[in-house]
Amino acid sequence: MRISVIGCGYLGAVHAASMAELGHDVVGIDVDQPKIEALSQAKAPFFEPGFEELLARTLATGRLRFSTDFADAAGAAVHFVCVGTPQKRGEYAADMRYVQGAVESLLGVLSAGELVVGKSTVPVGTAAGLADLIEAKVPGALLAWNPEFLREGFAVQDTLHPDRLVYGLPAGADGDTARALLDEVYAPIVERGTPKVESDYATAEMVKTAANSFLATKISFINAMAELCEATGADVKLLADAIGYDDRIGRKFLNAGLGFGGGCLPKDIRAFMARAGELGADQALTFLREVDNINMRRRIRMVELAREVCDGSLLGKRVAVLGAAFKPDSDDIRDSPALNVAAQLQLQGAVVQVTDPAAGDNIRRSWPQLDVVDTAEQAADRADAVLVLTEWKQYRELDPVAFGTLVKQKRVLDGRNALDREAWTAAGWTYRALGRRAG
Ligand code: UDX
């Protein structure tokens, strides 16, 4: 099938290459010239395991190309809209200008019988409005909403092997046409028996925001328990293990620590609250405000803990921050809890050395006031405290004995409950973590 993918950010670039991998003839379109050039040369503009290999493989088949010219989308049977919906400045609501712009640009090249498929995370009600617009301007062209659940770090795997497909379809015969086109796009995935949920537009839009709200709530739940553990001397990691054995609860997404960040969960729960307010249903989501509050409090608590171990003052203390990406296997620093803590420490007078295996360049660009070094060893040089804030494998596997020879004071703060506490304390370190007793 001929497919166009509008927007070649995280979601779109991976989607375009994945669709080519499924055998389709794909053009990825974006207004960002340097990004299009990089992608065309099989260079990923972001860190994502397996993506460059996929890009190189699919570009070599000749079935994948990238362009800045919208006209190249003409003639595709299916047009995927994969542009971003960031949080509006100074507001909770999502900024819809890129989605609106993408669809308006598509109208210029769209023909009857073609299908526009929204993948961006949007406020519920968006698709119905866009469907009316498409119907008015290009009668016979259709719209479907097909949310994407990919996780950074697993983007290729999640796109090619999703755990479910969600189709938000128009009513009646148009719905049958749209379904048939989507089934053809995803044929190998559908044939493998992947669960499929078909619904109206509003349900499909809400599936995404509801899923992310649930995940955020689960993380904030265990972090609220961590606050209680701190007050009582209980251990949040053991607590999570024990409640996680209950199938109905499950252990995944119960890792207490610095909480959630990134380009999705924080802005999605806020946009969801904003939309609920517009719909007069704000009470239904007031709990998400608390989810957000619990999450943000963890960052403040981490800074307090650092001050505590540094004998009550951060002034002039050398602090090593290991990890700055919002999670491991990513170079994404959007709303990163780790970076937020690093910046607060520096603002409060600490001499901070940050390191991250992938996010170094992004930090230097966005936070030029922070000192970035290449390795954990450099960061730890004569440190008064070491903070592990993103649980990269290389930090989890540090040898506490050898590492201890680099620092001034053997004090480690495990912001992600990811280190082997026994090994670190045996090597003479003072070990502190959120939601756990001092070791
Ligand atoms: C998320 C959703 O998982 C994905 O389905 C959706 O499509 C986009 O948003 P992503 O932002 O890539 O994906 O990251 P995710 O793995 O969900 O982690 C989000 C944040 O939660 C990270 O900052 C992570 O460190 C944190 N987290 C996750 C915890 O603090 N504890 C956990 O137990 C799990």
Side-chain angles (χ1 to χ4, degrees):
M1 283 172 103
R2 281 193 57 194
I3 288 178
S4 85
V5 176
I6 314 302
C8 293
Y10 216 93
L11 164 61
V14 175
H15 193 68
S18 299
M19 293 304 101
E21 177 86 341
L22 294 184
H24 302 300
D25 188 353
V26 184
V27 59
I29 306 225
D30 200 293
V31 292
D32 184 338
Q33 177 82 37
K35 189 182 281 176
I36 289 300
E37 273 166 24
L39 288 167
S40 304
Q41 291 160 22
K43 291 204 184 74
F46 44 78
F47 179 92
E48 180 62 42
F51 176 55
E52 273 192 350
E53 291 81 347
L54 173 71
L55 203 52
R57 192 164 65 236
T58 45
L59 282 166
T61 63
R63 288 195 306 267
L64 175 65
R65 68 203 167 88
F66 293 95
S67 165
T68 51
D69 188 357
F70 248 93
D72 288 332
V78 177
H79 306 271
F80 284 100
V81 176
C82 296
V83 292
T85 50
Q87 188 176 339
K88 268 192 198 161
R89 253 173 212 272
E91 280 182 54
Y92 267 15
D95 185 343
M96 294 301 293
R97 82 178 95 157
Y98 306 107
V99 171
Q100 198 66 32
V103 173
E104 277 163 18
S105 302
L106 262 179
L107 292 174
V109 299
L110 198 61
S111 303
E114 294 175 3
L115 179 67
V116 178
V117 182
K119 289 198 85 66
S120 309
T121 303
V122 295
V124 55
T126 302
L130 294 175
D132 289 345
L133 178 69
I134 292 169
E135 173 60 29
K137 302 280 180 181
V138 188
L142 298 176
L143 177 77
W145 215 263
N146 170 224
E148 179 60 55
F149 306 100
L150 68 81
R151 296 160 298 167
E152 295 189 18
F154 300 90
V156 174
Q157 159 78 13
D158 285 352
T159 306
L160 290 170
H161 298 272
D163 44 20
R164 79 282 212 191
L165 291 167
V166 177
Y167 296 178
L169 300 169
D174 286 348
D176 296 334
T177 310
R179 177 192 306 108
L181 282 165
L182 282 171
D183 279 347
E184 199 180 334
V185 170
Y186 295 127
I189 298 171
V190 173
E191 278 155 22
R192 176 185 322 136
T194 305
K196 190 166 76 168
V197 179
E198 295 177 6
S199 70
D200 50 90
Y201 292 142
T203 306
E205 291 167 317
M206 264 190 69
V207 168
K208 176 63 194 255
T209 37
N212 277 354
S213 297
F214 191 88
L215 295 173
T217 304
K218 203 168 174 192
I219 298 168
S220 276
F221 172 82
I222 199 65
N223 282 332
M225 294 305 111
E227 290 188 355
L228 272 177
C229 287
E230 283 155 24
T232 59
D235 186 303
V236 75
K237 205 167 174 182
L238 294 175
L239 180 77
D241 289 344
I243 64 175
Y245 283 120
D246 184 331
D247 274 351
R248 294 168 304 174
I249 296 173
R251 182 62 176 82
K252 288 185 186 158
F253 268 67
L254 276 186
N255 293 324
L258 264 189
F260 58 83
C264 288
L265 298 191
K267 68 119 176 139
D268 286 352
I269 62 168
R270 291 173 193 154
F272 203 20
M273 283 186 264
R275 185 66 185 132
E278 287 165 9
L279 293 166
D282 44 337
Q283 274 191 337
L285 296 187
T286 44
F287 76 95
L288 285 179
R289 198 173 292 273
E290 210 40 56
V291 165
D292 207 352
N293 273 327
I294 294 165
N295 193 51
M296 298 312 267
R297 279 208 297 272
R298 296 287 72 193
R299 305 176 184 190
I300 297 166
R301 174 70 189 129
M302 195 69 207
V303 176
E304 278 170 9
L305 205 56
R307 194 196 326 279
E308 231 172 275
V309 302
C310 287
D311 307 318
S313 170
L314 288 166
L315 277 180
K317 298 289 163 57
R318 293 177 65 87
V319 176
V321 170
L322 310 192
F326 85 105
K327 68 174 192 180
D329 297 315
S330 167
D331 65 355
D332 196 341
I333 54 168
R334 285 176 294 173
D335 200 358
S336 165
L339 208 46
N340 183 307
V341 168
Q344 285 190 62
L345 291 168
Q346 173 148 311
L347 287 170
Q348 295 187 28
V351 180
V352 179
Q353 305 277 339
V354 187
T355 187
D356 189 279
D361 288 344
N362 285 342
I363 312 166
R364 288 187 188 97
R365 225 181 350 261
S366 313
W367 295 73
Q369 66 278 39
L370 277 173
D371 275 337
V372 184
V373 294
D374 291 334
T375 64
E377 287 71 22
Q378 284 170 297
D381 181 35
R382 288 168 293 133
D384 292 288
V386 174
L387 275 65
V388 179
L389 302 185
T390 312
E391 68 278 34
W392 285 90
K393 188 163 178 280
Q394 42 271 67
Y395 304 152
R396 282 188 272 125
E397 291 176 352
L398 279 172
D399 171 7
V401 176
F403 208 62
T405 62
L406 306 171
V407 297
K408 187 156 127 206
Q409 301 277 356
K410 287 199 226 173
R411 300 160 171 158
V412 65
L413 275 71
D414 183 359
R416 293 289 180 183
N417 281 310
L419 303 179
D420 179 347
R421 173 161 68 177
E422 280 61 45
W424 285 77
T425 48
W429 290 76
T430 300
Y431 173 95
R432 298 296 301 270
L434 297 169
R436 302 178 81 192
R437 255 201 304 264

